[in-house]
Amino acid sequence: MKGLFSWLENRTGIGALAKEALFERVPGGARWRYVWGSTLTFAIMVQFITGVFLWMAYSPSASTAWESVYYIQNELTFGWILRGIHHWTAQIMVVLLVLHLVQVVIDSAYRAPREFNFWFGVILLFITLATSLTGYLLPWDQKGFWATKVATNLAGVVPIIGDDLQRVVIGGADYGHHTLTRFFALHAGILPAALIALIGVHIYLFRRHGITEAKPATRVGALYYWYLLAVGSAGLAVVAYLFKDSNPPWVLWVPSLLAAGVLVRIVFLHLHGKDDNSARRPKRDGMFWPDQIFRDAIVCFAVLGAVLFFVFWKGTELTSPADPSQPYNAARPDWYFMPLFLMLKFEPFQGEFGLVLGAIIVPGVLSSMLFMMPLIGLKKVGHWVNVVLLYVLIGGFVVLTVMAFKKDSSDPAYIADVTKAHEQAERVNELIEFNDGIPPEGALSLLYSDPLTQGPRLFATNCSTCHAYGYDDDGNALDGANKKLIDKQSAPDLKGVGSREWISKVLTVDHYQSSKFFGNTNFKKGKMLEFLVDTELEEEDVTGLAAALSSEAKLKSQSDIDNNDTKLIANGFEWMGEDELACVDCHKIKGEGGKKGPDLTAYMSRQWLVDFIGNSSHERFYGDDNDRMPNFLDAVSAEGEIKQGKLDQKSVELIVDWLRGEYADK
Amino acid sequence: MNKSLPSEPIEPDDPERRQFLEKTVSIVLGGAMVSVPVGAGIATLLAPLSSDKGGSLKIRLASIEDLPSDGTPKLYQIVAEKKDAWTKYPNKPIGSVFLRRIGESKVVAFSSSCPHAGCSVDIDSDGSAFFCPCHASSFDFDGITQGKSVSPRGLDALEVDPDLLVKGEVWVTFVKFKAGVADKVEV
């Protein structure tokens, strides 16, 4: 065994390398505040591991990206944990980056001779953000799609090269397969490779110059850190308080208690006049292994704990598949881009120049200031300028982020959009389960052939100019998509069309003449109304007639009562006959009868409705008596002209199936 | 945090014991935290092991009259509904089968996948035998290896439903078998 080790050592020098890596002197002893670089290394390692495994299941194309992520999230064993760790580690990494930066700046570890290391660190910061940004698109869901659209449009406003830059980034004039393949190559190839290379340089430079030794002149007392911790946890508590309505109570209590604990500690330290042990007495030097690594390991473990906590608490969102025709108004960038997102709404950033100013110049200047820090900090005054600048930046970041989220959480339109997006995401999952898989064209096609999703949209666009679909609590007519009608309702309410209830109402004079039915059409006067007024149907008659007519619709929701009430239905049909109410004088019923009124054979069945919507001026329906109902499918007029329909066959079928309640339902 | 400060720099009570503790904790925590992402990853990597087998599929391929009466095998494509990870294909080619009519009423079916290494078996140029172009295995029309074939077994016969065959319909149960072994093992 020993021989093997010495042979390995002789040929590779691996032992010496390990020694070199582990047995690094830590001047002034190991400290908790040195852990941030290690936590970042750990986080990046986690991202690499989980990223490679996700890669094995991910498929970057416009018709498979969402689908493969759906598979990872919902079907692959432990896939949701894998994706959850990757997602939440990316979030926490941003926090760790900021902590690392703060630590370096307040310890003035960016000063000569460590300028280059600082610069590499800042570049690493930007590469990490770029990796997050590219990763956000990869699930190809509504959220990532629309947020990335905004981000790449911002690239388009870069002076001179903007248009070309945008075209190169998204791989063409429009978003599609090549946007995904490019973003994926960036996210999983180029950017990680750059990260590894630069981290190598970063750590090499760090080791070359060693840990910034705590010199008395630049020493920052432990009390300073306790104050920072107090401000940090109090800030967190304030933020938690601002959003206390949307979180469980402990989200407020934990940072509050932490802040209180830190304050007690500070008071204690003041009372005993020991602001910092190490400031008074130089601590013995420590070693990287095991003194510092021990602290690193504990904090890294806590980081992982936090990640897992979020994976289980919040889960990992996958909104519905990207749909360029359905604007997703709740699209937001990842939370750490929210300040920029909000900033662009402010007045100084209006207009074309404003956008360039807000999206490019301001972030550019701030980044440049970050880069300049080692030069500014050469003098002691400069150092304090840097520290103040950093705190102002972080403070501004926090305030803008809170403002952005606060604004959203009190915006009913935003909340409605989020709710709609969630419902749609759930609907896709339902459809996939119902279909036992996703069609080769992709998951979006399921939504597009789903009456429950498309019916309301098509109805709102094409039918609600005249028709209503139910009413809200205040009695306002609705358009199918839960919005109030823009124009006055001028044609029947179609909610529950064909059901016994709906038909019963049609057979009552009041409803028939009301604006909820024919009140605002030519049919408010006519033979049918005369009939209803003259006949004065009994409630019993109405029940029977409605049961009979409604059975022709063959509604899924009524299959049980249609099957049970055979007697009632048979009676209803009998009453319609010549000897009783004589409906057949005007209407065809079961294929027999007059032609003056609409044919009631298979009334409100799928085919009847499709034909009716297709062309209600057909002699089978209203003929020349038709009021304003357009033909929605191609039709030939009495003069032999072809009248182009407003919709295609599939859309009409979707509306009909939705109206009739014929869709995949649990 | 000691209440009474000694005037000397603090000496750990027992540096070796402290270091041992630190090392143990570091290694245990380090192992634990690497095993979480690696474990989740390995679980997804090995997920195919617990997924369902390919299974069998009974499918109608032809009428008995469609098959040449002289016993020449004819290749039929198997097209079926297939689920591939997340995608459900309504009609996807999943394999092919040779059908051969013997006499008036008997039909045999062979999987076209070579039992040697899974290449696609074809009929040789002079139309007298099955031949696999990859490693030159040859099988007679009864599926039995002949000549210097490297295949460890003959072509895999598939079940033809005898009851439906009486009615003139050729229904075959399509199954896949493990390549490279002497026994016919379903996969």
Side-chain angles (χ1 to χ4, degrees), chain A residues 100 102-115 117-118 209-213 374 383:
Chain A
H100 190 44
V102 170
Q103 167 63 31
V104 165
V105 171
I106 59 183
D107 266 1
S108 56
Y110 55 70
R111 280 184 175 167
R114 298 185 177 82
E115 304 95 318
N117 210 10
F118 183 81
H209 298 301
I211 282 179
T212 309
E213 207 162 342
H383 173 64

Side-chain angles (χ1 to χ4, degrees), chain A residues 1-8:
Chain A
M1 211 46 186
K2 212 176 165 199
L4 181 68
F5 278 131
S6 61
W7 175 74
L8 259 180

Side-chain angles (χ1 to χ4, degrees), chain A residues 420-605:
Chain A
K420 211 171 92 184
H422 281 276
E423 282 168 5
Q424 182 147 323
E426 270 172 40
R427 183 63 184 160
V428 188
N429 288 9
E430 247 173 57
L431 289 171
I432 293 172
E433 271 174 50
F434 198 81
N435 188 56
D436 185 31
I438 300 170
E441 311 87 87
L444 200 58
S445 68
L446 284 174
L447 280 175
Y448 271 85
S449 52
D450 174 32
L452 183 62
T453 309
Q454 297 306 320
R457 288 181 192 164
L458 289 163
F459 188 91
T461 313
N462 298 289
C463 315
S464 74
T465 336
C466 305
H467 289 280
Y469 185 81
Y471 300 87
D472 67 12
D473 295 339
D474 303 325
N476 298 306
L478 297 175
D479 71 347
N482 281 327
K483 293 211 172 90
K484 288 182 212 164
L485 289 201
I486 298 165
D487 297 321
K488 197 178 66 167
Q489 181 188 350
S490 61
D493 167 28
L494 295 179
K495 189 170 187 180
V497 75
S499 67
R500 288 185 183 184
E501 201 192 348
W502 190 87
I503 294 174
S504 304
K505 283 200 288 186
V506 175
L507 294 172
T508 42
V509 178
D510 287 346
H511 184 76
Y512 191 91
Q513 332 183 63
S514 78
S515 64
K516 291 186 174 184
F517 200 68
F518 278 152
N520 293 325
T521 70
N522 286 344
F523 302 114
K524 73 180 166 191
K525 290 174 210 150
K527 292 203 186 82
M528 183 68 195
L529 186 70
E530 280 169 32
F531 166 81
L532 288 175
V533 172
D534 294 347
T535 325
E536 290 180 19
L537 291 166
E538 305 273 324
E539 202 183 317
E540 196 187 336
D541 301 332
V542 172
T543 312
L545 291 173
L549 276 176
S550 180
S551 72
E552 293 281 89
K554 302 214 172 349
L555 293 177
K556 202 167 81 175
S557 56
Q558 286 191 170
S559 62
D560 285 350
I561 50 173
D562 282 347
N563 288 336
N564 291 337
D565 298 344
T566 43
K567 185 114 187 281
L568 183 71
I569 291 168
N571 287 341
F573 278 121
E574 216 178 299
W575 297 338
M576 288 183 234
E578 200 65 62
D579 303 334
E580 310 243 348
L581 294 166
C583 301
V584 287
D585 280 358
C586 298
H587 296 283
K588 260 191 184 168
I589 287 159
K590 297 235 175 199
E592 306 275 331
K595 281 171 132 189
K596 284 177 220 151
D599 184 347
L600 299 183
T601 309
Y603 181 57
M604 292 296 171
S605 65

Side-chain angles (χ1 to χ4, degrees), chain A residues 631-643:
Chain A
N631 59 303
F632 282 88
L633 295 174
D634 292 353
V636 183
S637 72
E639 293 79 38
E641 283 171 49
I642 292 177
K643 293 193 294 174

Side-chain angles (χ1 to χ4, degrees), chain A residues 306-328:
Chain A
V307 167
L308 289 176
F309 176 76
F310 278 106
V311 172
F312 283 89
W313 181 37
K314 288 280 183 192
T316 314
E317 195 180 27
L318 177 65
T319 55
S320 68
D323 180 353
S325 75
Q326 284 293 318
Y328 177 57

Side-chain angles (χ1 to χ4, degrees), chain A residues 198-468:
Chain A
L198 292 180
I199 289 171
V201 176
H202 196 62
I203 294 178
Y204 159 75
L205 285 172
F206 165 64
R207 282 301 175 89
R208 182 182 157 87
H209 298 301
I211 282 179
T212 309
E213 207 162 342
K215 296 190 202 86
T218 60
R219 166 148 320 143
V220 179
L223 199 55
Y224 184 87
Y225 286 92
W226 284 106
Y227 272 113
L228 267 189
L229 195 56
V231 171
S233 47
L236 216 54
V238 170
V239 173
Y241 178 77
L242 288 173
F243 294 97
K244 67 179 187 311
D245 296 336
S246 47
N247 284 308
W250 61 261
V251 175
L252 176 57
W253 286 115
V254 170
S256 305
L257 287 173
L258 182 64
V262 173
L263 279 178
V264 169
R265 175 76 194 146
I266 290 170
V267 171
F268 179 83
L269 283 171
H270 271 295
L271 285 179
H272 290 260
K274 308 171 212 122
D275 61 335
D276 187 3
N277 292 338
S278 54
R280 296 177 150 229
R281 296 163 279 98
K283 220 172 160 186
R284 277 156 50 106
D285 289 353
M287 290 304 273
F288 185 60
W289 168 255
D291 303 329
Q292 186 60 44
I293 286 188
F294 167 70
R295 288 164 173 77
D296 292 351
I298 286 179
V299 179
C300 288
F301 194 72
V303 166
L304 181 69
V307 167
L308 289 176
F309 176 76
F310 278 106
V311 172
F312 283 89
W313 181 37
K314 288 280 183 192
T316 314
E317 195 180 27
L318 177 65
T319 55
S320 68
D323 180 353
S325 75
Q326 284 293 318
Y328 177 57
N329 301 326
R332 293 290 181 270
D334 251 341
W335 61 271
Y336 39 84
F337 290 119
M338 285 295 270
L340 185 62
F341 177 84
L342 179 72
M343 211 179 75
L344 293 178
K345 290 185 183 172
F346 293 157
E347 213 182 325
F349 306 112
Q350 273 174 358
E352 201 181 312
F353 175 73
L355 192 55
V356 176
L357 183 69
I360 294 152
I361 299 178
V362 171
V365 167
L366 293 178
S367 318
S368 310
M369 284 160 87
L370 209 54
F371 265 97
M372 297 292 283
M373 276 188 175
L375 306 178
I376 300 170
L378 282 174
K379 293 250 169 65
K380 198 171 179 183
V381 174
H383 173 64
W384 287 109
V385 168
N386 284 339
V387 173
V388 170
L389 176 72
L390 189 65
Y391 288 159
V392 168
L393 273 180
I394 292 172
F397 176 91
V398 172
V399 169
L400 282 173
T401 308
V402 168
M403 276 171 69
F405 279 96
K406 204 67 201 167
K407 202 174 154 114
D408 280 346
S409 66
S410 56
D411 177 5
Y414 173 81
I415 295 167
D417 278 329
V418 170
T419 314
K420 211 171 92 184
H422 281 276
E423 282 168 5
Q424 182 147 323
E426 270 172 40
R427 183 63 184 160
V428 188
N429 288 9
E430 247 173 57
L431 289 171
I432 293 172
E433 271 174 50
F434 198 81
N435 188 56
D436 185 31
I438 300 170
E441 311 87 87
L444 200 58
S445 68
L446 284 174
L447 280 175
Y448 271 85
S449 52
D450 174 32
L452 183 62
T453 309
Q454 297 306 320
R457 288 181 192 164
L458 289 163
F459 188 91
T461 313
N462 298 289
C463 315
S464 74
T465 336
C466 305
H467 289 280

